Amino acid sequence: LVGVGPGGEAAGSRGTFVRTPSRADPDERARTLLEQGRTHAGAGDNLAAAQAYRRALELDPQLHEARIQYARLLAASGRERRARQVLRTGLDEAPAHRRMARYYAALADETGEVEAAIDALEPAARLEEPGALEAHLAALYRGAERYAAAARVYRALAEAEPGNGLWLAGLALTAEGQGDREAALQAWRRVLEQGVERDAVAAHARRRVEALSGE
């Protein structure tokens, strides 16, 4: 008689049982570690959480949620440079991953590394349906005096949210940076016509209309 071992394999001719070690799927184990990391983080045990996230990434480098959470813990502990390295590794594999790109760009922007932030955001940008990522990219372009690129993104934002005066303000500032006085004046006037929720923006728009029109 041939026995069947607990692991599902037939035993040898002597009828003995053979135990086959069960091995969890690496991806499944990685997801389990991700959840364990979240549990540890929720309990305030950041060291155990970081260890769980790091192990999850070793098993599944494509588990970018673990990568983001691990980077957040690193940054919170003052290891921003290491956090960026972790995120950069993920972006090299998945450059269009919007959450990773946004977090990497935020860390780079905090240290004044504008071009590094732009490089992270550009592959993930979607001008056909722009959002917070594209708004950050537009602001970075303008800060870097890349006005044509900034105007392109602000126009996409204004088309997606025609009632949002902030994007018109961005276009106005970009036009001023380019030295296009007339375009800036028209944009500032549109800001006032549409209205903005922030009083400071409206006040600045009125000052710029007065200055540019000579009123």
Side-chain angles (χ1 to χ4, degrees):
L1 295 177
V2 177
V4 179
E9 288 189 3
S13 58
R14 295 184 179 181
T16 58
F17 288 92
V18 177
R19 179 178 295 277
T20 301
S22 60
R23 293 183 178 273
D25 177 82
D27 292 348
E28 181 181 343
R29 177 60 179 154
R31 288 189 292 272
T32 299
L33 284 165
L34 170 61
E35 293 307 315
Q36 290 176 357
R38 286 172 170 158
T39 300
H40 290 312
D45 191 345
N46 290 343
L47 177 59
Q51 291 173 340
Y53 293 141
R54 184 173 64 247
R55 179 59 180 149
L57 287 172
E58 290 172 355
L59 292 171
D60 183 5
Q62 303 303 314
L63 190 58
H64 297 308
E65 180 60 29
R67 186 176 302 282
I68 292 169
Q69 297 305 324
Y70 182 37
R72 289 191 185 282
L73 289 178
L74 289 169
S77 66
R79 300 177 64 190
E80 291 88 352
R81 184 65 59 178
R82 174 59 181 150
R84 283 178 56 186
Q85 290 174 348
V86 169
L87 293 168
R88 184 72 264 173
T89 298
L91 288 172
D92 287 343
E93 295 296 326
H97 195 290
R98 289 172 69 83
R99 288 186 62 213
M100 275 198 300
R102 285 187 65 191
Y103 190 35
Y104 182 95
L107 291 174
D109 197 11
E110 285 177 1
T111 58
E113 297 176 67
V114 174
E115 290 300 329
I118 289 173
D119 288 345
L121 291 178
E122 283 181 330
R126 297 197 302 256
L127 296 189
E128 65 276 10
E129 48 178 339
L133 184 151
E134 289 72 23
H136 189 189
L137 180 58
L140 290 170
Y141 278 145
R142 185 166 57 81
E145 299 184 355
R146 294 169 62 175
Y147 296 120
R152 183 176 68 252
V153 182
Y154 278 128
R155 279 194 294 269
L157 287 162
E159 289 174 5
E161 292 186 272
N164 192 332
L166 291 177
W167 311 142
L168 293 175
L171 280 171
L173 289 168
T174 299
E176 288 202 47
Q178 291 175 305
D180 191 338
R181 185 186 184 96
E182 184 60 29
L185 176 59
Q186 295 305 316
W188 285 124
R189 282 175 170 164
R190 289 176 61 198
V191 170
L192 293 175
E193 289 170 0
Q194 291 197 359
V196 289
E197 294 181 359
R198 300 182 188 178
D199 292 340
V201 176
H204 184 73
R206 284 191 291 271
R207 288 193 297 269
R208 295 314 300 153
V209 167
E210 291 174 2
L212 292 167
S213 64
E215 297 176 357

